[in-house]
Amino acid sequence: MKVFVIDVSRCNGCYGCQLVCKDEHVDNDWSPVAKPQPDMGQFWMKVKETVHGSVPKVKVEYVARPCMHCDHPACIRPEDQGAVYKRTDGLVIIDPEKARGKKELVDTCPYGAIYWNEALEIPQKCTGCAHLVDEGEVPRCVDACATEALKFGEEEEFKDLIAQAELMQPELGLKPRVYYVNLPKLFVAGEVYDPQANEIIENAAITLTDLATRQSWTCQSDDFGDFWFKRIVAGKYALRIEAQGFKPYAMTELNVDKSLNVGSIALEALK
């Protein structure tokens, strides 16, 4: 069975995968797996850009999103009589003839991967470039990825990567065959300084504690006085800063529902 494995940490946001998908499918008829994609309005491979934090503590991450080619696709319904089907290799295909006029299929996908082609009156989506796969090739998006962030092949081939991967919205129970490594998470960041000396403070011990689980993480401020806690989940946290010669500093509750820059924190020197 075929799978996609996407390493988000390797993606540099070139949008090459999105562009070559358009090049492969606009004005090209790959029947019986796909009719031509419109020039505008559809991105069967779509790169989602997310900006985390605020200046100067900012991270930009890119997540490539094709059809998830689920094992239990919400778009396959008995009443549609084969308008959408799953191939033996795992790729999910919308039959452009049987699906004609079935605009309601657009709303069946919780990932928003199905589009409506008004001119042809058919729902359309990523096919995993099934026409290329049948020739022994990989999808165009994978072939074009300069950083090898996108991989495609047999599940067994990528078992080590899959073991450390995550699924998009696993709670839906659809069992996607697109696996993500290093999916974006939230961060808490800031900097520590001495206002009297007007200098940053290196090697301050910063502790972040999850108020729900009581789990704690510790780091030290770097040569610029900066500190980062990366890849944390949303929740409520406490932050404590300690440095030799300074009074401890505490934030008793931080509501982290998005990446948070707590700013420049001044420590008071001991007398």
Side-chain angles (χ1 to χ4, degrees):
M1 296 281 277
K2 303 292 187 183
V3 296
F4 284 89
V5 179
I6 301 175
D7 187 342
V8 177
S9 67
R10 286 178 170 268
C11 182
N12 62 10
C14 74
Y15 287 82
C17 57
Q18 186 170 300
L19 292 171
V20 297
C21 179
K22 299 293 288 185
D23 180 65
E24 184 68 23
H25 293 282
V26 170
D27 295 330
N28 289 323
D29 190 330
W30 302 117
S31 294
V33 295
K35 291 290 186 182
Q37 183 185 136
D39 291 354
M40 301 178 64
Q42 295 194 19
F43 293 98
W44 297 0
M45 168 60 85
K46 186 173 185 178
V47 177
K48 181 181 179 182
E49 177 181 318
T50 303
V51 179
H52 294 269
S54 58
V55 176
K57 303 294 188 296
V58 176
K59 298 285 185 183
V60 182
E61 291 171 311
Y62 306 90
V63 178
R65 296 190 58 153
C67 165
M68 296 293 146
H69 296 281
C70 306
D71 275 345
H72 305 306
C75 56
I76 295 182
R77 308 181 303 175
E79 62 266 33
D80 293 320
Q81 300 180 326
V84 187
Y85 63 95
K86 189 174 184 67
R87 299 187 353 156
T88 56
D89 63 3
L91 295 177
V92 176
I93 305 297
I94 296 177
D95 186 306
E97 298 300 332
K98 293 181 179 179
R100 191 175 303 277
K102 294 183 179 294
K103 191 173 183 178
E104 65 274 12
L105 282 172
V106 173
D107 296 325
T108 63
C109 178
Y111 298 105
I114 302 178
Y115 299 85
W116 180 247
N117 186 322
E118 193 68 43
L120 299 180
E121 295 188 324
I122 54 173
Q124 294 182 295
K125 68 170 191 66
C126 160
T127 66
C129 283
H131 62 289
L132 295 178
V133 173
D134 289 342
E135 297 297 324
E137 301 180 41
V138 296
R140 275 290 301 278
C141 58
V142 176
D143 183 59
C145 184
T147 62
E148 297 186 349
L150 301 180
K151 300 181 186 299
F152 178 86
E154 295 296 331
E155 189 171 7
E156 181 66 20
E157 178 185 354
F158 300 119
K159 63 180 181 180
D160 290 340
L161 281 174
I162 290 173
Q164 56 183 293
E166 300 175 67
L167 298 175
M168 195 72 71
Q169 295 179 258
E171 68 277 6
L172 296 174
L174 303 179
K175 294 189 176 181
R177 300 195 67 77
V178 178
Y179 293 91
Y180 288 92
V181 181
N182 297 315
L183 265 178
K185 295 290 190 295
L186 305 181
F187 68 74
V188 172
E191 69 173 38
V192 186
Y193 75 102
D194 177 352
Q196 290 186 332
N198 196 27
E199 295 281 352
I200 60 93
I201 299 175
E202 297 180 44
N203 300 318
I206 300 98
T207 302
L208 185 71
T209 302
D210 186 323
L211 295 177
T213 66
R214 308 311 302 179
Q215 182 177 2
S216 293
W217 303 266
T218 301
C219 71
Q220 290 185 317
S221 56
D222 63 18
D223 295 347
F224 301 97
D226 293 338
F227 64 88
W228 296 80
F229 293 95
K230 300 178 181 179
R231 298 189 62 75
I232 65 173
V233 298
K236 295 185 183 298
Y237 293 84
L239 186 73
R240 183 176 176 84
I241 302 175
E242 298 173 291
Q244 186 174 2
F246 296 88
K247 293 181 180 180
Y249 178 94
M251 292 182 175
T252 57
E253 185 174 306
L254 294 173
N255 185 26
V256 181
D257 56 1
K258 58 184 179 180
S259 292
L260 182 63
N261 173 20
V262 298
S264 299
I265 297 174
L267 298 189
E268 184 180 350
L270 292 172
K271 296 180 179 179

